[in-house]
Amino acid sequence: MGGLRSDPGVWTLYGGMTAPGYRLLLVEDNEADARLIREALDEAIVKPGQVTHVRRLAEALAAVGTEDFDVILFDLSLPDGRGLNTIEQLRAKAPHVALVVLTGVDDEGLALMSLQLGAQDYLVKNQIDRNLIARAVRYAIERHRMQATLQGLALIDELTGLYNRRGFLAFADQHLKLARRTARGLWLVFVEVDDLKQINATFGRSEGDQALLKTAEILRATFRDSDVVARVGGDEFSVLAFHASEDSGTIIQTRLAQNLADYNARKEHAWGLALSVGIAGFDGSTAVTLDELMTQAE
């Protein structure tokens, strides 16, 4: 299964991707898999670009410390890696680089978890072809750049620190596109704070702000870091979350109800917090829009 050098090599690639000049780091210890990925990349890039191949996580961490890359394609089962911990190490060392996970056909559950930890996409090795890898690389880079751009724009709600409506629409739309491309499901959760006007009128606006802040805390505790959580109106919040399992909608509602009950049991304020919750599902195969999902959940 030879053909690749034992030390990190650099390949100059020619072929068909729309944005030339991408710098890719491939982290793969299986030479046969590396060769197949190389062949797909050879066909996918239009103008000269470079791919650096290493076989160990330690080599990858050293490479990102000395070279600039646009995307890292890496196997979760590296000899010196520890599964999902590999993502955390790469993210910490190269926060400016997009990450694409390479996985075996039986590891899709693990790959989905990798998205929660900050990877932009994943590829199943035995399904890789020139079109798929070109789209995945391009999408990963664009999505990572979108995330960086969002951080620099006025897309954050000043009170809660969550995305505002504009930020939610921009970032959630990217999640919806990914769900369509990969045929994965999503939940759109709509949350409204009950009786906020009454809290403001009875206890003062500062207490109303506390109700909103506590709602934001409960939502952060309920959902994953990779889910898009936003305050989209005065007393309204929206969340877009990937399906983790077939019963994840029920799990979400149960966890949210428990976190709300735990908060009220502490009796931190003179008022109790009540939330109205709606949830709409997307199975990854329909042409539903984000606005339509929000309307269904509302």
Side-chain angles (χ1 to χ4, degrees):
M1 297 191 296
L4 302 180
R5 296 196 300 268
S6 59
D7 58 330
V10 177
W11 302 314
T12 300
L13 306 178
Y14 304 87
M17 193 188 289
T18 56
Y22 288 154
R23 289 279 302 167
L24 292 89
L25 175 62
L26 173 62
V27 193
E28 173 60 70
D29 66 304
N30 184 294
E31 294 187 2
D33 287 342
R35 188 186 308 113
L36 291 174
I37 295 166
R38 174 187 176 180
E39 289 172 355
L41 288 168
D42 280 339
E43 295 177 350
I45 301 214
V46 226
K47 294 183 180 179
Q50 287 186 314
V51 174
T52 299
H53 172 227
V54 297
R55 291 169 176 74
R56 299 289 187 272
L57 176 59
E59 294 173 329
L61 295 174
V64 296
T66 58
E67 299 181 58
D68 292 326
F69 296 99
D70 296 293
V71 62
I72 303 172
L73 293 85
F74 63 99
D75 193 334
L76 280 177
S77 303
L78 296 170
D80 60 341
R82 292 184 300 172
L84 295 173
N85 183 255
T86 301
I87 300 172
E88 297 175 346
Q89 293 187 66
L90 288 171
R91 173 61 60 231
K93 187 73 173 181
H96 59 289
V97 182
L99 302 180
V100 176
V101 170
L102 301 171
T103 180
V105 69
D106 296 327
D107 296 330
E108 286 199 71
L110 195 63
L112 284 172
M113 292 175 64
S114 72
L115 298 179
Q116 302 171 21
L117 293 176
Q120 274 66 48
D121 206 347
Y122 73 90
L123 293 169
V124 179
K125 291 181 185 179
N126 66 0
Q127 298 174 6
I128 290 176
D129 60 29
R130 58 179 297 242
N131 293 322
L132 180 62
I133 202 166
R135 285 197 304 269
V137 168
R138 184 171 61 248
Y139 176 81
I141 292 171
E142 290 175 355
R143 183 168 185 252
H144 189 65
R145 288 174 179 170
M146 168 68 80
Q147 290 174 320
T149 300
L150 287 176
Q151 295 175 0
L153 297 177
L155 302 179
I156 302 298
D157 177 58
E158 292 184 5
L159 176 65
T160 63
L162 300 175
Y163 288 116
N164 58 24
R165 186 179 186 86
R166 181 182 175 192
F168 178 78
L169 293 176
F171 203 22
D173 187 59
Q174 295 297 313
H175 274 57
L176 194 59
K177 289 178 181 177
L178 176 61
R180 287 196 193 98
R181 184 171 68 80
T182 58
R184 292 203 299 274
L186 290 170
W187 294 114
L188 192 294
V189 184
F190 180 82
V191 178
E192 184 173 352
V193 180
D194 295 340
D195 303 320
L196 182 62
K197 289 183 179 179
Q198 184 175 341
I199 294 175
N200 284 331
T202 304
F203 301 100
R205 185 165 293 277
S206 63
E207 289 298 295
D209 287 347
Q210 284 298 311
L212 294 171
L213 285 167
K214 295 304 177 182
T215 300
E217 289 179 11
I218 289 170
L219 293 178
R220 286 193 184 97
T222 300
F223 294 93
R224 301 162 299 191
D225 290 342
S226 60
D227 297 329
V228 185
V229 185
R231 180 187 174 201
V232 295
D235 58 357
E236 298 173 344
F237 296 78
S238 286
V239 183
L240 196 68
F242 277 113
H243 281 190
S245 63
E246 288 300 321
D247 60 348
S248 57
T250 301
I251 293 172
I252 287 172
Q253 295 178 74
T254 300
R255 186 186 303 142
L256 179 56
Q258 185 60 58
N259 288 337
L260 176 61
D262 290 346
Y263 166 73
N264 282 325
R266 295 195 295 270
K267 297 182 179 180
E268 296 179 2
H269 297 273
W271 40 266
L273 188 61
L275 304 175
S276 293
V277 180
I279 185 167
F282 170 64
D283 64 6
S285 63
T286 62
V288 68
T289 67
L290 185 58
D291 283 340
E292 288 169 343
L293 274 179
M294 292 180 71
T295 299
Q296 290 174 25
E298 290 175 19

